Amino acid sequence: MDLYIYDHCPFCVKARMIFGLRDVPVTLQTLLNDDAETPTRLVGEKKVPILEFEDGHTVDESLDIVQCIDSEAEGVKVLDGPRNQEIERWVKASGDTVIKLFIPRVPRAPLGEFATPEAAEYFTRNKEATFGSFDTLLAQTPELLVDLERWLNELDALIQSPEAVNGVLSMDDIELFPVLRQLSLVEGVKYPKNVEAYRQAMSQLANVPLHDEIAVAA
Ligand SMILES: N[C@@H](CCC(=O)N[C@@H](CS)C(=O)NCC(=O)O)C(=O)O
């Protein structure tokens, strides 16, 4: 099976996680950010993640990929645990701060989808049209980091175990870890104890490395 991704993409992280959590082998194919031809050939439009089975059959929504692998892999579902509405609320409410810190740093990171200058320029052009100037966002870093500290302290109190946010693996882990992985691209974030233990443990369990080592400064 091949999973087509961009390394920075949080939806792709959701899809990647289930392969790690279930120990199902998959080959990651990182597309260039300006490669429209490959995804369009596979699913008729430019989007990732896309899962391609050996027989050419494809699944192209992150949560459909998660459900598909969690149901088809041997043994009981790993994501059957109860959900906590507070996690969903936290993910939504912190989203504005997270995206403003994350998005301007993405094309500055040495990620596979930006292996050519054209691919990085494509991303910047597209996303600045939605989020505004990356330089302006980067200049807001000090205030955004203050907001983020408040969000992370709130999250710290919600984490029940490093191996599963609610104590048992659930869809909340699929929603939460990608946010923390986005933040790992931001230099200078200070993680409270439970959040730090969780993001390290989940990175190992899900086999999705964090970006701490390539974190981008303002
Ligand atoms: N609902 C989709 C959303 C996927 C999505 O928005 N992917 C982004 C990448 S993060 C994408 O492919 N955008 C089109 C583009 O980059 O041109 C899912 O959950 O899989």
Side-chain angles (χ1 to χ4, degrees):
M1 272 182 286
D2 287 312
L3 185 64
Y4 294 82
I5 60 159
Y6 307 137
D7 196 359
H8 74 274
C9 162
F11 303 100
C12 302
V13 171
K14 292 184 190 186
R16 289 170 69 174
M17 286 178 76
I18 194 62
F19 291 93
L21 293 172
R22 297 226 56 148
D23 210 11
V24 171
V26 68
T27 305
L28 295 180
Q29 305 282 2
T30 306
L31 295 179
L32 283 172
N33 203 253
D34 59 347
D35 174 3
E37 190 271 328
T38 309
T40 305
R41 173 173 51 77
L42 289 166
V43 296
E45 62 180 304
K46 181 182 181 305
K47 69 185 295 203
V48 291
I50 301 166
L51 178 62
E52 183 183 30
F53 288 87
E54 310 298 335
D55 66 3
H57 164 68
T58 55
V59 182
D60 67 356
E61 271 291 316
S62 58
L63 295 184
D64 290 345
I65 295 170
V66 171
Q67 295 305 343
C68 165
I69 298 304
D70 203 16
S71 308
E72 284 186 8
E74 281 177 25
V76 293
K77 280 181 154 202
V78 299
L79 294 171
D80 257 356
R83 300 197 65 169
N84 175 0
Q85 284 185 351
E86 283 299 295
I87 297 296
E88 204 178 338
R89 186 197 57 77
W90 186 90
V91 167
K92 271 210 187 94
S94 63
D96 187 59
T97 303
V98 171
I99 197 78
K100 285 178 173 164
L101 284 164
F102 172 69
I103 208 85
R105 285 165 169 86
V106 171
R108 288 171 163 79
L111 301 171
E113 58 268 38
F114 304 124
T116 66
E118 292 79 13
E121 282 156 20
Y122 174 92
F123 181 92
T124 302
R125 198 166 55 243
N126 251 356
K127 300 297 178 185
E128 283 193 327
T130 306
F131 297 99
S133 148
F134 282 0
D135 287 344
T136 304
L137 288 172
L138 287 171
Q140 293 169 10
T141 297
E143 305 91 89
L144 290 167
L145 284 178
V146 171
D147 284 352
L148 185 68
E149 191 175 333
R150 196 166 43 79
W151 286 119
L152 291 176
N153 283 334
E154 204 182 281
L155 177 63
D156 206 58
L158 296 172
I159 293 179
Q160 294 185 29
S161 152
E163 282 89 27
V165 67
N166 301 330
V168 180
L169 280 173
S170 71
M171 288 305 290
D172 283 342
D173 294 292
I174 298 290
E175 298 296 338
L176 178 61
F177 176 72
V179 177
L180 296 174
R181 192 195 194 232
Q182 284 179 292
L183 288 173
S184 71
L185 204 60
V186 181
E187 196 186 84
V189 177
K190 294 202 176 57
Y191 297 96
K193 195 163 139 277
N194 294 336
V195 179
E196 176 61 15
Y198 175 80
R199 70 185 195 111
Q200 295 293 350
M202 194 52 60
S203 167
Q204 294 287 323
L205 285 171
N207 194 25
V208 180
L210 294 167
H211 282 143
D212 292 354
E213 278 162 25
I214 55 164
V216 178

